[in-house]
Amino acid sequence: RLIFMPHCSALCERILADEGVLLMDCVDVHPCPVDLVPLDSDLLSMEMPDAIRVSDVEGVPSECVTAVARSLVKVQDAAGAVGRVQSLGVLGESVVGRMMGMRVQEYDPKDDDLGGFGAEGGADAGAGIGPGRNAPAPEIDAMLVFDRKVDMVTPMMTPLTYEGLLDEVLGIECGFVKVGASVVDT
């Protein structure tokens, strides 16, 4: 049994086929789509440390884009369709485009109470992707998807604020940070 997290890539599938592994009766290939890891009550992480290398250096962003888009669709399946989605950067736009494509592919007009229209019943309300009977009420009002190249500093900030980073690295005592001369030396 071969288990891939989150899924078997096309390259790996091709190598397994070329080596004859997929043709064996005793081999089963299964995806294990554990892609979102909850870090806090309102913070999810994908833990994709090689995403920039794969998309920029190797020039193959499609696998990362698909993984992120699939995860965002899962979030919307759980929390309701997000009303406003915006993107920033080339890869951010690719993710939103792929996510919208996935939402359109899974859309079933028979499951929609309003005949393919959004809550207002107009042609532009919901762009034809209605909420459906079984969809949860939206818990997320807006989603911003941005390319990591737009802001490369934020992932290096371990706490969520600059003050938290200063406290973790240097220590804050009574509202002051004591630093050696070598830190502020220019």
Side-chain angles (χ1 to χ4, degrees):
R1 187 172 293 192
L2 295 175
I3 300 173
F4 291 92
M5 281 182 64
H7 62 89
C8 181
S9 68
L11 176 63
C12 188
E13 197 171 294
R14 181 175 175 170
I15 291 171
L16 290 172
D18 289 348
E19 296 295 324
V21 175
L22 292 180
L23 300 175
M24 297 178 178
D25 291 336
C26 62
V27 175
D28 291 325
V29 177
H30 300 281
C32 183
V34 179
D35 45 7
L36 292 170
V37 178
L39 299 178
D40 203 351
S41 63
D42 62 348
L43 180 63
L44 300 171
S45 177
M46 287 201 61
E47 300 303 318
M48 295 177 67
D50 296 334
I52 296 234
R53 180 184 55 80
V54 168
S55 65
D56 287 351
V57 177
E58 296 176 9
V60 186
S62 63
E63 188 172 319
C64 297
V65 167
T66 301
V68 173
R70 188 180 309 113
S71 296
L72 293 177
V73 168
K74 285 182 187 177
V75 167
Q76 290 187 60
D77 288 344
V82 177
R84 182 176 178 200
V85 180
Q86 290 184 300
S87 63
L88 193 62
V90 175
L91 287 177
E93 290 175 11
S94 297
V95 166
V96 169
R98 183 80 46 92
M99 178 186 71
M100 294 303 206
M102 290 177 178
R103 298 289 294 175
V104 167
Q105 285 177 349
E106 73 179 21
Y107 174 64
D108 183 9
K110 293 179 221 140
D111 191 35
D112 193 346
D113 288 333
L114 300 171
F117 295 106
E120 303 298 324
D124 60 343
I129 309 294
R133 285 187 289 270
N134 299 327
E139 296 178 31
I140 302 171
D141 295 325
M143 179 185 299
L144 175 62
V145 179
F146 61 95
D147 189 341
R148 184 45 62 203
K149 290 180 282 187
V150 173
D151 178 19
M152 302 222 19
V153 175
T154 301
M156 294 182 236
M157 302 291 134
T158 47
L160 299 177
T161 65
Y162 293 104
E163 182 180 358
L165 180 65
L166 284 173
D167 186 35
E168 184 175 282
V169 174
L170 301 172
I172 296 176
E173 294 179 31
C174 298
F176 292 94
V177 177
K178 295 179 184 177
V179 296
S182 62
V183 174
V184 290
D185 210 13
T186 56

